[in-house]
């Protein structure tokens, strides 16, 4: 009951937020929150550290950007195409990577993502270093004009909420149960008759698709897809967001994304502008040393202990 | 005619192979350091590139402020940076022992941001020149290419360091401790081995190797705060191809990746920064533990 | 008539990356110096400067610019080093109808296919660089070229523009090699350039890449062996980093050099006092663009975009950076460029005394006539 | 089909070589339906290796394996598990970050056929709770249904492992040293449990505890250096001087 | 239990056995927040073989790990050969002459069998020679070049035991060493332990296999819920059978 109330409050805040805070910033935050949550699905619940998620985020950004700008697809369809193609890319990369574990899995995904990056940097349709600019926002359902930031915000909010709900459901589903069993003890899960590669692959593809959804949505918001989205730093950043917020918690990655995006945004124009990397570095070091469970994880632990 | 066949004179090919070997020597020393650190601390040392950069800056500082030239720096810079490494290990990394290596990666990632960011702020991003030591200026014409003496020296010095390290780790008792310590440090300690000290020294050694590469690089590239930030991920791939923690793997792969990269620069230059990852993906699919890694 | 009662300029630059020396914090100082000249107010309203680090990323720039425009009443965006950033901000400026004063980015497409009515390209462009260095080198007999090109839009634009100039002057382009950006080791590319047998090796790159390429050329005895290196985009700070020993003899096209006349010396001395460095062309160009923008506001008493842009076009650009500069309808600010050569250590009197101006390239020659521009809104 | 040759599992010439070392050589194993069959032998005789071959964790160098007359030599681990052959591990195998009930439920869940359904609620699994608790009760873990398994003592984990295995209702169970590391009382518990679950099932076990072997097993195969030394009932085998010398020592 | 222990009480033959090799007082140990040992008191004399008996989870392994310094959080006092080691590091404890054979065997997979055997540094004189050990465990000799974890379960157990016999340690902490071993090997191990006793080694044995432990031990400490609940001398086995029944059966 309490939980339900909590969700209601969060929802109300989300609905009211653009009245107070700059909507484009909020949309960016939402997109990264979705990206980090999608990533958490594979790291936090699947136990697999992917170091190549930028390929899905960036890939979907480019493809939906192209679909909207060149093919002139309606906005919803463009986003969908982007997300699905990220899923397909996830299937391809996942099939190769999923048989490996730990640091090797991380490295294969990184390698594949680097190759994808190479494709992006050298294909003409991405605009290379300049990025794919001027992607039209279009309309939602052919009715609502999305060039209005408020309208765009609610559109993004709806997409991201759907994404979060799907993730939350997947974690607490029959599939989620098997997934956590696999993370705990692969050999045992296999001996119980589970074809663990297929479960991991499904998780990976889901995660890739949702990461793609985030990337595609971001393209529409900023009307731009760039190499930043596909660069390995982005893969690193999403790991950091997830860890900072709290690995394997539902709300954690979103909170982590919120913190990082906010920091980047506000530090860039303050007196600390030139120190952004240093400040982020210091935050990560302290985070790893002193609150490893992440913000949400530590909070939960604190509540657990004090009540 | 070979030229017609290849589309360029064969001298270019030889030249590129030699250059590849020289670059490979850097990869070898850097990945060796990473491999040592991963081997014992189970930490993917993302700060390696930053420490390599510190090695180059130490060289510069030694020369500018203490009047210690290149040859002195070859000894002192690794010692200084190694000492910094020891400090980092004692104060920060130590506290991560026994937890998922993900956190080590993160911590060192953060450290790299801090170190590089600070140096950019202090010294700017375009770098500071460092002269080639007098004794090694000039070069020799090999017929197919002009080989600067300094580059030749880089290969010799790197190989010597690699062989010494390999011997230390694979043929001495310390090596056995290191390998055992990778797996179960607590138990090794219960047998009477001072594992914390071993860990600290191993990290210091790995860092010193990075700094050594930094000294070697200083006269070639600029002494630049960002010189390590893009290298790290390639070196990282080299270690994985060789097999995480394998000393031999790091050295052999380092050299061969240099050569492969050199060849790619002839045939498809734009792909030269990607080719290592292609090799890595292929290797990992065929040999999951890397070329020299032992499967778990 | 000043909207929101304040004139606000948003300066986006690379504060910590590859371009932080050629642009970076120095451009903020330069803009501040322009504002100081007005005593901090224009047309009765205070002038405010906000700045941010765009980290050379198009998305960060677009995001920041959009936010400034939407929520902080910024009237003009300034500096915008690197092409992708300039293009991304153009997109925002077009939508919000704001002015974009580009002094950092170099690609000539900014006033051609990618132009916008309110995007003003100030300092230089790849064509001007090509005309200066390219034609000068060909004139000296360097008639066969091989390019080392950074593998991104700017490198390509630079190579294209220079190739045109070289070919027009009767030279030949023998080939090119695209190198990844950024690259740390150029020895292998140098070897390919050497094998091509071209008389001139053109460096179609910038910043750290150019520095490293020049170093590699020296190391491998390329110049001794008879080939010439042409740095196509070299900044004063690059020369400073390379040292005269390595850089001497290098020809380069610059939009500005501190030691040209009393005016430039006076301004640069003040700049040096604040930053400890002599200004680059980008930094001087930022000063000039901001100053001209403010002058137009002063003249019209309005900060309305269209009014101001019209006024800026109408008035010639007169300051220590440019004399009689003309702002064309495609956004190009046409002014003289200079062909310079790096002094030998013996000729230099000390730090920052690096260049000798060889030739003044008239604006029209450097930037070409308006008729050549492919800007659709010109 | 006559009762006597109703063999559920048969191997022919089963051989496994590791880089020049033959761990299992030419083993012909025939396990009769609805019996408890033990595999014993000195350390390093190849028992675990045979197990791994039967459960497909290793690929045989030579030889064939048939289950219910079907050739399963090249089947995958998950496949044979679905056919009804389930193993336990020598070192306890549980899902430490799940509760005991969830551990068992993971095994029960497979039959629902919804394990790939990521859009369905976990609550659809609650209908399996009764059966899970019943199974936990059978192994004496009724008090630990809600406990996180990682915190359970060793013996309890072994018991849980058996409960999980039973949940699959396997036709055949392969148990590798099920009583290893257990106190006397736990050994007793597990022995009774195995007897209880052996009804309508076939069990193949590796065990060093001769007390357990003698009370439980109908048939015993003794391995030595990878090959079958002898076969028979406990009485027959323990009377064999070669077995005494190689394996049992004073215990027999 | 009285503090004065007569010679016959401790089953040894020499007066030197009055020397306290190990004295534990009020030892508490914690895994994170969970309290595993609740105040252990015990003494072991030189040349003595004692066992720790108890149900699964009663804290026997934890006791050995605490002595070895492997439990992060512990309080109380542990004296080894007259030295306080409650705050000492594991490696300095080992150098007092302590050998530890862990429950999970701890064979290093990246080392060969022989390297595993040679790994622990010598901590005192008088360790067994490698040849002697190979004779004792012929399986190991045969597989000496194999990777450590390629050994069968029982072989790994043999290796874990053999490796500490080489180091010269004369206080042995042995955790379930007969686990997974064929009865013949178990017999052999019993002989080894008897031999070690005659050489004056001090042994603390954690064992499930009571049949194995009973004839070897001088005293038995019965543990339950992280405490020592009874101490039984070898000659009291029958008279105190009820204690075993109470704490070791269901
Ligand atoms: N992967 C492997 N590579 C090389 N040798 C192996 C491998 N696995 C097992 N062996 C060897 O094969 C032999 C048989 O091992 P196995 O584990 O089957 O023995 P076991 O009968 O189960 O013994 P225990 O009772 O000690 O568990 C042993 O000598 C072992 O060292
Ligand atoms: N690593 C650990 N983390 C948390 N609790 C632990 C850990 N190891 C043991 N425990 C707990 O400490 C208590 C004592 O365990 P210990 O391993 O010492 O028992 P034991 O008598 O050796 O039993 P066993 O026969 O299972 O080895 C048990 O309740 C156990 O669950
Ligand atoms: Mg076995
Ligand atoms: Mg125990």
């Amino acid at each position: 009951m309490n939980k339900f109330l909590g969700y209601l409050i969060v929802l109300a805040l989300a609905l009211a937020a653009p009245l107070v805070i700059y909507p484009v910033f909020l949309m960016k935050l939402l997109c990264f929150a979705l990206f980090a949550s999608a990533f958490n699905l594979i790291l936090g619940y699947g136990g697999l550290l992917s170091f190549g998620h930028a390929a899905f985020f960036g890939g979907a950004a480019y493809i939906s950007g192209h679909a909207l700008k060149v093919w002139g697809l309606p906005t919803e369809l463009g986003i969908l195409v982007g997300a699905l193609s990220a899923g397909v890319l996830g299937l391809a990369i996942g099939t190769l990577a999923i048989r490996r574990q730990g640091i090797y899995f991380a490295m294969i995904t990184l390698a594949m993502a680097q190759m994808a990056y190479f494709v992006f940097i050298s294909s003409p349709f991405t605009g290379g270093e300049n990025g794919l600019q001027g992607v039209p926002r279009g309309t939602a359902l052919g009715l609502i004009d999305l060039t209005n930031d408020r309208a765009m915000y609610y559109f993004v909010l709806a997409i991201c909420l759907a994404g979060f709900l799907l993730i939350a459901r997947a974690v607490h589903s029959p599939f989620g149960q098997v997934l956590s069993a696999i993370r705990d003890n692969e050999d045992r899960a296999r001996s119980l008759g589970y074809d663990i590669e297929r479960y991991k692959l499904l998780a990976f593809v889901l995660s890739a698709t949702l990461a793609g959804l985030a990337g595609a949505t971001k393209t529409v918001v900023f009307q731009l897809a760039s190499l930043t989205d596909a660069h390995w730093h982005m893969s690193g950043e999403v790991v950091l967001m997830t860890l900072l917020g709290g690995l394997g918690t539902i709300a954690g990655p979103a909170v982590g994304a919120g913190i990082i995006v906010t920091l980047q945004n506000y530090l860039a124009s303050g007196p600390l502008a030139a120190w952004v990397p240093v400040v982020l570095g210091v935050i990560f070091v302290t985070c790893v040393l002193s609150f490893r469970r992440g913000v949400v994880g530590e909070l939960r632990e604190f509540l657990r202990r004090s009540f | 005619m070979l030229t017609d066949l290849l589309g360029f004179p064969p001298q270019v090919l030889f030249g590129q192979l030699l250059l590849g070997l020289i670059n490979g020597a850097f990869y070898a020393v850097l990945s060796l350091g990473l491999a040592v650190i991963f081997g014992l601390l189970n930490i993917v040392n993302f700060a390696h590139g930053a420490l390599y950069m510190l090695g180059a800056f130490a060289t510069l500082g030694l020369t500018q402020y203490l009047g210690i030239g290149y040859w002195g720096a070859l000894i002192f810079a690794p010692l200084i940076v190694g000492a910094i490494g020891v400090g980092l290990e004692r104060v920060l990394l130590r506290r991560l022992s026994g937890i998922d290596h993900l956190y080590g990666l993160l911590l060192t990632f953060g450290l790299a941001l801090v170190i590089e960011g600070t140096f950019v702020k202090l010294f700017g991003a375009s770098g500071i020149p460092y002269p080639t030591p007098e004794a090694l200026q000039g070069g020799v014409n090999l017929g197919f290419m002009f080989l600067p003496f300094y580059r030749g020296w880089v290969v010799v010095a790197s190989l010597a360091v690699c062989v010494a390290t390999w011997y230390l780790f694979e043929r001495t008792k310390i090596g056995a401790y290191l390998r055992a310590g990778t797996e179960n440090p607590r138990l090794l300690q219960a047998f009477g081995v001072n594992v914390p000290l071993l860990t600290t020294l191993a990290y210091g050694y790995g860092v010193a190797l990075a700094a050594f590469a930094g000294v070697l690089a200083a006269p070639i590239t600029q002494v630049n705060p960002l010189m390590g930030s893009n290298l790290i991920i390639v070196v990282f791939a080299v270690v994985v191809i060789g097999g995480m923690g394998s000393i031999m793997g790091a050295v052999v792969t380092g050299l061969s990746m240099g050569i492969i990269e050199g060849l790619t620069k002839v045939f498809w230059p734009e792909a030269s920064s990607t080719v290592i990852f292609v090799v890595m993906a292929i290797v990992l699919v065929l040999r999951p533990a890397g070329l020299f890694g032992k499967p778990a | 008539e000043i909207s929101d009662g304040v004139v606000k300029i948003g300066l986006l630059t690379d504060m910590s990356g590859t371009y932080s020396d050629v642009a970076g914090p120095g451009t903020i100082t330069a803009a501040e110096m322009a504002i100081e000249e007005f005593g901090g107010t224009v047309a009765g309203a205070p002038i405010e400067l906000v700045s941010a680090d765009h980290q050379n990323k198009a998305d960060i720039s677009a995001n920041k610019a959009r936010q400034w425009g939407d929520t902080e009443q910024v009237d003009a965006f300034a500096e915008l080093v690197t092409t992708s950033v300039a293009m991304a901000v153009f997109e925002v400026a077009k939508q919000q109808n704001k002015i974009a004063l580009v002094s950092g980015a170099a690609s000539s497409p900014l006033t051609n296919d990618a132009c916008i009515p309110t995007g003003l390209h100030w300092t230089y462009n790849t064509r001007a660089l090509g005309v200066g260095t390219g034609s000068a080198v060909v004139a000296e007999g360097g008639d066969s070229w091989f390019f080392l090109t950074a593998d991104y839009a700017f490198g390509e634009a630079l190579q294209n523009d220079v190739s045109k100039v070289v070919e027009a002057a009767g030279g030949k382009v023998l080939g090119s090699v695209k190198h990844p950006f950024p690259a740390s080791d150029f020895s292998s590319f140098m070897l390919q350039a050497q094998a091509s047998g071209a008389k001139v090796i053109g460096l179609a790159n910038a910043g750290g890449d150019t520095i490293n390429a020049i170093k590699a050329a020296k190391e491998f005895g390329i110049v001794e062996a008879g080939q010439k290196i042409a740095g196509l985009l070299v900044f004063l700070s690059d020369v400073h980093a390379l040292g005269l020993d390595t850089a001497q003899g290098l020809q380069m096209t610059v939009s500005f050099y501190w030691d040209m006349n009393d005016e430039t010396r006076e301004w640069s001395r003040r700049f040096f006092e604040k930053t400890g460095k002599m200004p680059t062309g980008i930094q001087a160009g930022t000063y000039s663009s901001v100053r001209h923008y403010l002058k137009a506001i002063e003249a019209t008493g309005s900060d309305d975009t269209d009014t101001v842009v019209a006024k800026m076009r109408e008035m010639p650009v007169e300051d220590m950076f440019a004399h009689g500069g003309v702002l064309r309808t495609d956004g190009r600010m046409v002014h003289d460029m200079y062909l310079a050569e790096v002094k030998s250590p013996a000729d230099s009197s000390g730090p920052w005394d690096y260049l000798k101006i060889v030739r003044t390239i008239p604006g029209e020659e450097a930037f070409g006539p308006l008729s050549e521009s492919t800007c659709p809104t010109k | 089909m006559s009762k006597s040759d109703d063999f559920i599992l048969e191997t022919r010439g089963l051989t496994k070589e590791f880089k020049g070392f033959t761990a299992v050589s030419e083993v012909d194993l025939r396990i009769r339906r609805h019996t408890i069959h033990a595999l014993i032998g000195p350390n390093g005789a190849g028992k675990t290796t045979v197990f791994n071959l039967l459960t497909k964790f290793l690929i045989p160098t030579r030889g064939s394996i048939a289950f219910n007359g079907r050739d399963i030599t090249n089947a995958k681990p998950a496949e044979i598990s679905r056919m009804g052959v389930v193993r336990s591990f020598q070192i306890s195998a549980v899902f430490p970050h799940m509760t005991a009930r969830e551990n068992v439920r993971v095994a029960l869940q497979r039959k629902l056929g919804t394990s790939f359904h990521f859009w369905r609620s976990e609550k659809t699994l609650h209908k399996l709770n009764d059966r899970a608790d019943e199974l936990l009760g059978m192994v004496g873990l009724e008090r630990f249904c809600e406990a996180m398994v990682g915190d359970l003592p060793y013996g309890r984990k072994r018991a849980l492992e058996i409960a999980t295995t039973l949940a699959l209702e396997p036709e055949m169970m392969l148990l590798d040293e099920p009583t290893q590391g257990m106190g006397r009382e736990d050994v007793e518990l597990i022995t009774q449990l195995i007897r209880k679950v052996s009804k309508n099932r076939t069990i193949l076990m590796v065990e060093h505890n001769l007390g357990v072997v003698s009370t439980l097993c109908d048939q015993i195969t003794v391995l030595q250096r990878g090959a079958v030394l002898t076969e028979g009932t406990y009485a027959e085998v323990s009377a064999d001087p070669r077995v005494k010398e190689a394996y049992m020592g004073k215990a027999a | 239990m009285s503090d004065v222990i007569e010679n016959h009480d401790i089953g040894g033959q020499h007066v030197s056995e009055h020397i306290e090799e190990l004295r534990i007082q009020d030892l508490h140990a914690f895994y994170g927040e969970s309290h595993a040992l609740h105040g252990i008191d015990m003494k072991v004399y030189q040349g003595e073989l004692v066992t720790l008996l108890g149900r699964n989870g009663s804290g026997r392994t934890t006791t050995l790990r605490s002595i070895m310094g492997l439990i992060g959080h512990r309080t109380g006092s542990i004296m080894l050969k007259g030295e306080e080691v409650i705050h000492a590091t594991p490696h300095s404890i080992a150098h007092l002459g302590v050998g530890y054979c862990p429950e999970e065997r701890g064979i290093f997979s990246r080392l060969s069998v022989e390297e595993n055997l040679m790994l622990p540094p010598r901590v005192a004189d008088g360790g067994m020679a490698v040849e002697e050990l190979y004779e004792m465990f012929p399986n190991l000799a045969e597989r000496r070049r194999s990777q450590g974890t390629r050994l069968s379960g029982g072989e790994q157990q043999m290796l874990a035991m053999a490796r500490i016999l080489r180091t010269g340690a004369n206080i042995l902490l042995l955790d379930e060493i007969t686990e997974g071993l064929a009865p013949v090997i178990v017999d052999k191990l019993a002989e080894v332990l008897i031999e070690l006793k005659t050489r004056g080694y001090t042994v603390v044995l954690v064992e499930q296999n009571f049949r194995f432990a009973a004839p070897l031990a001088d005293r038995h400490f019965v543990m339950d819920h992280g405490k020592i609940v009874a101490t039984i001398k070898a000659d009291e086995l029958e008279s105190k059978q009820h204690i075993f029944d109470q704490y070791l059966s269901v």
Side-chain angles (χ1 to χ4, degrees), chain B residues 219-242:
Chain B
I220 294 186
T221 62
Q222 298 277 321
V223 178
N224 183 327
L226 300 173
M227 65 197 277
S229 73
N230 281 304
L231 203 57
I232 174 74
I233 190 142
V234 173
V235 174
F236 206 4
V238 168
V239 176
V240 172
I241 297 171

Side-chain angles (χ1 to χ4, degrees), chain C residues 166-252:
Chain C
V166 167
E167 278 158 8
K172 266 201 321 258
V173 176
L174 299 182
S176 71
V177 54
K178 284 187 182 172
H179 66 78
F181 162 79
S184 53
D185 179 44
F186 279 84
S187 48
S188 143
F189 305 121
M190 274 299 163
L191 227 57
Q192 292 180 49
Q194 190 174 33
S196 75
K199 288 186 189 157
V200 181
I201 301 172
L203 304 179
N205 48 24
D209 285 346
T210 307
I211 292 178
N212 283 328
I214 292 173
K215 286 203 71 175
K218 181 175 164 70
E219 197 190 350
F220 282 84
I222 303 275
V223 179
E224 279 103 283
Q227 280 173 306
K228 198 171 166 62
I229 304 293
L232 298 170
L233 180 46
V234 186
F235 292 98
L236 193 65
S237 56
D238 299 336
V239 176
H240 187 63
L242 277 164
L244 288 184
D245 212 23
T246 308
Q248 60 178 304
L250 194 69
Q251 290 195 329
M252 53 202 261

Side-chain angles (χ1 to χ4, degrees), chain D residues 48 90 176-177, chain E residues 152-153:
Chain D
T48 302
Q90 195 163 351
D176 197 355
E177 305 201 27
Chain E
S152 82

Side-chain angles (χ1 to χ4, degrees), chain D residues 151 154, chain E residues 31 36 55-62 103 176 208:
Chain D
D151 303 337
Y154 186 68
Chain E
Y31 290 105
R55 292 200 182 111
N56 289 121
S58 55
R60 299 159 304 156
T61 298
T62 308
E103 186 171 39
E176 317 238 0
Q208 297 283 8

